[in-house]
């Protein structure tokens, strides 16, 4: 079973940038599609971005499209989320997640999650 650890969160001003990393342990990272999700207080966990096993296919929520970019380096067992033009409404705990047999926009389909990293965007 793969284990995930997120890092790179912090406090940033609006219009700034952050790069989140998700490091995976285990020997089968390339067999997993990966997703980024976020959760603000009092809200449901929402989809942000997904990437397939090879990195060929990516998909984004409408709220982050054009501002965020998901990527992966299978040789380093790491998935990234580059976040540009950040807005206060991006403030949330960000989680990475792993899923076998193709990517999905639904958090329900993911069985392995990291601990989360806090992103706070000030106005």
């Amino acid at each position: 079973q793969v284990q995930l650890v997120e890092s790179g969160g912090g406090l940033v001003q609006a219009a700034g940038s952050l790069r989140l990393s998700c490091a995976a342990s285990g020997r089968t990272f390339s067999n997993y599609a990966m997703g980024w999700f976020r959760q603000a207080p009092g809200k449901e966990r929402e989809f942000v971005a997904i990437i397939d096993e090879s990195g060929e296919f990516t998909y984004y929520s409408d709220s982050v499209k054009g501002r965020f970019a998901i990527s992966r380096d299978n040789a380093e067992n790491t998935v990234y989320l580059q976040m540009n033009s950040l807005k206060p409404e991006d403030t949330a705990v960000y989680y990475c997640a792993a899923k076998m047999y193709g990517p999905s926009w639904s958090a329900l389909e993911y069985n392995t999650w990291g601990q989360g990293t806090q992103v706070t965007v000030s106005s």
Side-chain angles (χ1 to χ4, degrees), residues 44-123:
E44 294 293 317
R45 189 166 299 186
E46 68 173 338
F47 163 74
V48 175
I50 50 175
I51 189 166
D52 73 347
E53 293 88 338
S54 69
E56 179 180 0
F57 169 82
T58 60
Y59 186 75
Y60 300 89
S61 70
D62 289 341
S63 62
V64 308
K65 192 175 301 181
R67 300 187 298 120
F68 291 10
I70 188 172
S71 62
R72 68 190 295 162
D73 187 339
N74 286 349
E76 298 294 331
N77 282 12
T78 303
V79 63
Y80 303 95
L81 186 68
Q82 178 67 46
M83 305 185 295
N84 299 322
S85 301
L86 283 162
K87 306 174 181 179
E89 51 262 46
D90 294 319
T91 296
V93 176
Y94 283 71
Y95 300 88
C96 67
K99 174 187 177 294
M100 297 194 73
Y101 309 117
S104 173
W105 55 264
S106 174
L108 185 63
E109 300 296 323
Y110 292 80
N111 299 118
T112 303
W113 295 83
Q115 84 288 354
T117 185
Q118 177 72 47
V119 172
T120 302
V121 184
S122 65
S123 59

